[in-house]
Amino acid sequence: MGNLNHLSILKTIAISILLILCITCLPGQESEIVFPDSSKWYFFELSGGIASPPQYRYYTISISGDTLINDSAFRKIITTETVITSPEISRSMEMIYLGAIREDIQNKVIYFLSPGSSEEQLLYDFNWEIGDTVKGRLALGFGTPDTIVNIDSVLVDSQYRKRWTINEGYDIHLIEGIGSTYGLIEPSPGDILDNSSIQLTCYQVANTPVYP
């Protein structure tokens, strides 16, 4: 009887170890904040106020290779855009360098480096809790800095990813593996009224839409 109990305990321990190993080896467990190289974001921006006609801007952001800056590995991001100011007037621009991003997986933060700058800025902190003040590049707008008002999950390519609500007025969210829904690197307007409205219309990986 003693041997049977001993074997039962060993079996339970072995199963527990296997379960732990399976959980820690699940895909994405250590890379939820990292953008795949084939990532592509599609945005729509509406600007213009009472005194000026509306202007529509459609643009994409994508990753364009690696670069070494200050002995740290960054990834370059570029944009292409089409701006429509009236039915008769539009202009298109391609391959504009926006800057570079660096993902610190261990600390779950992402940094941004503006073109021509040597000092990186905090872009996203995936450790923010409800009530925390948004800091870094997203807080560089002219309005009052935002605070995290809600944290929940959203379905991204059949997996649930954590989502932070940054600004309810402009419907700005931060999503693990996707980033900010307000132009990716754009500062939040805070409490300013009549600022540009920016929406993430699609996020693709390897030319396949995964969100929304």
Side-chain angles (χ1 to χ4, degrees), residues 50-138:
I50 299 175
S52 59
Q55 176 174 283
Y56 307 93
R57 178 180 175 225
Y58 303 87
Y59 64 100
T60 65
I61 295 177
S62 55
I63 295 174
S64 180
D66 301 326
T67 184
L68 192 66
I69 304 174
N70 296 334
D71 296 325
S72 295
F74 284 80
R75 292 196 288 168
K76 297 178 288 186
I77 54 175
I78 60 172
T79 184
T80 63
E81 66 174 36
T82 298
V83 178
I84 301 174
T85 53
S86 74
E88 298 81 20
I89 302 175
S90 67
R91 60 181 174 85
S92 297
M93 302 174 65
E94 302 220 3
M95 299 293 290
I96 303 171
Y97 174 65
L98 293 178
I101 56 172
R102 180 175 71 85
E103 295 129 328
D104 183 343
I105 299 174
Q106 182 176 357
N107 294 308
K108 300 192 71 174
V109 294
I110 294 180
Y111 296 96
F112 176 74
L113 194 65
S114 300
S117 175
S118 60
E119 185 174 347
E120 63 184 13
Q121 303 168 303
L122 173 68
L123 183 59
Y124 308 138
D125 185 343
F126 293 99
N127 302 293
W128 280 329
E129 300 289 345
I130 293 178
D132 286 350
T133 300
V134 175
K135 298 178 181 179
R137 182 173 177 83
L138 299 186

Side-chain angles (χ1 to χ4, degrees), residues 12-45:
T12 301
I13 293 173
I15 292 174
S16 299
I17 292 173
L18 285 174
L19 286 173
I20 292 172
L21 289 173
C22 288
I23 290 172
T24 55
C25 291
L26 283 174
Q29 288 294 313
E30 294 185 354
S31 59
E32 289 177 346
I33 75 165
V34 175
F35 306 136
D37 289 335
S38 58
S39 294
K40 193 169 188 177
W41 298 261
Y42 292 77
F43 292 100
F44 168 71
E45 179 178 352

Side-chain angles (χ1 to χ4, degrees), residues 99-209:
I101 56 172
R102 180 175 71 85
E103 295 129 328
D104 183 343
I105 299 174
Q106 182 176 357
N107 294 308
K108 300 192 71 174
V109 294
I110 294 180
Y111 296 96
F112 176 74
L113 194 65
S114 300
S117 175
S118 60
E119 185 174 347
E120 63 184 13
Q121 303 168 303
L122 173 68
L123 183 59
Y124 308 138
D125 185 343
F126 293 99
N127 302 293
W128 280 329
E129 300 289 345
I130 293 178
D132 286 350
T133 300
V134 175
K135 298 178 181 179
R137 182 173 177 83
L138 299 186
L140 293 180
F142 296 104
T144 302
D146 297 314
T147 57
I148 304 299
V149 295
N150 188 53
I151 299 175
D152 59 8
S153 297
V154 64
L155 193 62
V156 178
D157 193 25
S158 76
Q159 292 185 348
Y160 280 96
R161 295 292 180 89
K162 199 170 181 180
R163 177 176 67 176
W164 292 256
T165 300
I166 292 176
N167 187 308
E168 292 181 303
Y170 285 90
D171 196 28
I172 303 174
H173 302 277
L174 173 61
I175 303 173
E176 279 182 328
I178 293 180
S180 170
T181 59
Y182 192 81
L184 194 67
I185 60 172
E186 295 292 330
S188 168
D191 57 357
I192 292 179
L193 301 177
D194 296 328
N195 204 76
S196 296
S197 173
I198 304 177
Q199 298 177 350
L200 173 65
T201 59
C202 182
Y203 171 65
Q204 291 184 355
V205 176
N207 296 319
T208 301

